[in-house]
Amino acid sequence: MFAYGLASVVLVLHLSASGFGEARIGLLLTLTLLGDTALSLVLTTRADRFGRRRMLVASAALMVVAGAAFATTGSFLLLVLAATVGVVSPSGNEVGPFLPIEQAALSQELAPERRTGAFAWYQLTGALATAVGALAGGAIAEGLQRAGTGALASYRLVFAAYAATGVALAFASSRLSPAVEAPAPTRTARATLGLHRSRGVVARLSALFAVDAFAGGFVVQSFVAWWFHEKFGAGPALLGAIFFGANVVAGISALSAAAIARRVGLVNTMVFTHLPSNVLLVLVPLMPTLPLAIGVLILRFSISQMDVPTRQSYTVAVVDPDERSSAAGVTGIARTVGAALAPLAAGPLYASAALASVPFFVAGGLKIVYDLALWRSFRRLRPPEEG
């Protein structure tokens, strides 16, 4: 997550400095997310059978491939290839197979009543790491530029650090104990993508999560950083500081999600914390000054991620133990597909001064629709600890 934050702040700046227009940047971001989707589908649906450690190491190796390409070449075709087969997060949020595999392993070691709280700490750790990465990415790039390094060269050095972090992650994943591996299957029913009893539930969750992610794809961190840069002239260091603060606030707020869920349930917590955050998202581009826009964005982050640990906990709670990696993976893939489609539409909007605020309105409106549909569909399907 540190590596994701490191790259997200400079990704669109890197592509712009390489001479690519907004349409090509949107295409590359879409292909990046589609590539992450394909890799996640392959790795997460096989992790429980072929080894979770192996799949984590393979995922880290693909981070190295992507980081090395962005650090060394300016060819659009090579960057598209690297972004498609590698692992890069345009948003700074979780992509690829890491989260589904890790949380499936954690779930089998936790009592049900401890799961949401543990996932909240997991979310906080990731958010803090993303925040530090965003701060570091912006500070490194601006520091190098002030020392006389060209803008593109400074961004490439940030991606070299991204590749180095992937190497460290691959080593750490290889040292995990056998306790991370999946238990033996609990039933012999025919499985599709690693799912049997819970196929219908996972399909409905996936459809809803895809809508939410599609909406979020209009306001990925890289695009929002670009919007702040273009509208208010914010430099890389300030952008890093903005998203450092936003991710720290988001991570800390996730801890309260577990306490709220114990009182009102996982689904209610997901919906009733997410709705007001989407109203705040719509207000961001309406702010007339940079401080006010930052303030509303930070306020939005203070509640927008409270649905993340509850959503993740709910997904693994309502499926069988030997379906957890697949369920988390398939729903995660649905989110990635939804997010991958949005940049194609968002790129041209951000390129137009008259339409640059429209993505915020589209994202907020669609997310509100998602919240209402989720509550209507799943308010009666409770996880075991709420039974």
Side-chain angles (χ1 to χ4, degrees):
M1 294 307 292
F2 170 84
Y4 287 170
L6 192 73
S8 67
V9 171
V10 302
L11 176 58
V12 174
L13 298 175
H14 174 289
L15 296 172
S16 179
S18 298
F20 307 135
E22 285 82 0
R24 297 182 88 183
I25 292 173
L27 174 62
L28 189 142
L29 295 183
T30 290
L31 292 175
T32 297
L33 293 168
L34 289 175
D36 291 337
T37 300
L39 290 169
S40 295
L41 182 64
V42 171
L43 297 179
T44 58
T45 57
R46 289 165 173 76
D48 288 350
R49 286 181 291 158
F50 298 124
R52 291 171 176 168
R53 285 177 294 180
R54 290 177 181 173
M55 298 308 175
L56 290 172
V57 171
S59 303
L62 293 171
M63 285 180 62
V64 178
V65 170
F70 277 83
T72 57
T73 183
S75 166
F76 183 73
L77 290 177
L78 290 177
L79 290 176
V80 166
L81 179 62
T84 303
V85 303
V87 176
V88 180
S89 173
S91 65
N93 295 327
E94 186 71 53
V95 298
F98 295 106
L99 181 144
I101 297 173
E102 292 166 1
Q103 293 199 334
L106 288 170
S107 295
Q108 68 195 41
E109 292 295 310
L110 293 166
E113 61 272 13
R114 293 185 55 212
R115 185 185 57 255
T116 303
F119 281 15
W121 281 103
Y122 179 98
Q123 172 72 10
L124 172 60
T125 304
L128 291 176
T130 303
V132 174
L135 187 67
I140 290 170
E142 185 153 314
L144 288 169
Q145 290 173 31
R146 287 180 176 176
T149 304
L152 179 57
S154 71
Y155 303 144
R156 286 181 172 177
L157 287 170
V158 172
F159 275 98
Y162 182 90
T165 307
V167 172
L169 180 58
F171 175 77
S173 298
S174 72
R175 306 304 299 167
L176 290 169
S177 79
V180 303
E181 303 298 353
T186 57
R187 58 182 68 203
T188 59
R190 184 176 178 180
T192 302
L193 297 177
L195 300 168
H196 40 82
R197 181 187 66 84
S198 308
R199 282 193 293 260
V201 169
V202 172
R204 285 187 291 145
L205 285 172
S206 297
L208 289 168
F209 292 168
V211 172
D212 180 46
F214 176 75
F218 281 82
V219 287
V220 294
Q221 191 160 296
S222 296
F223 268 145
V224 175
W226 173 257
W227 182 82
F228 272 99
H229 176 73
E230 288 296 299
K231 182 166 184 176
F232 297 111
L238 177 57
L239 292 173
I242 291 171
F243 290 104
F244 170 79
N247 283 291
V248 167
V249 168
I252 293 173
S253 71
L255 294 180
S256 61
I260 296 172
R262 283 194 294 270
R263 293 177 176 272
V264 302
L266 289 172
V267 172
N268 287 338
T269 303
M270 281 189 271
V271 172
F272 298 132
T273 61
H274 208 227
L275 272 170
S277 78
N278 297 323
V279 175
L280 291 168
L281 178 61
V282 171
L283 294 177
V284 170
L286 300 178
M287 297 298 104
T289 65
L290 176 60
L292 284 174
I294 293 173
V296 174
L297 183 72
I298 298 293
L299 184 60
R300 189 248 172 182
F301 267 82
S302 72
I303 53 177
S304 67
Q305 299 301 299
M306 292 175 69
D307 74 310
V308 175
T310 46
R311 181 185 72 229
Q312 295 163 349
S313 180
Y314 184 81
T315 300
V316 298
V318 295
V319 302
D320 287 351
D322 61 304
E323 297 178 292
R324 283 172 176 161
S325 286
S326 295
V330 169
T331 54
I333 289 163
R335 292 186 61 81
T336 305
V337 170
L341 298 176
L344 283 175
L349 293 175
Y350 281 106
S352 168
L355 301 176
S357 297
V358 170
F360 291 87
F361 304 139
V362 173
L366 284 175
K367 281 177 171 289
I368 289 171
V369 171
Y370 153 78
D371 289 327
L372 297 176
L374 178 71
W375 186 79
R376 185 174 184 273
S377 298
F378 287 97
R379 67 186 187 276
R380 290 190 176 90
L381 179 59
R382 298 182 178 182
E385 64 268 27
E386 295 177 18

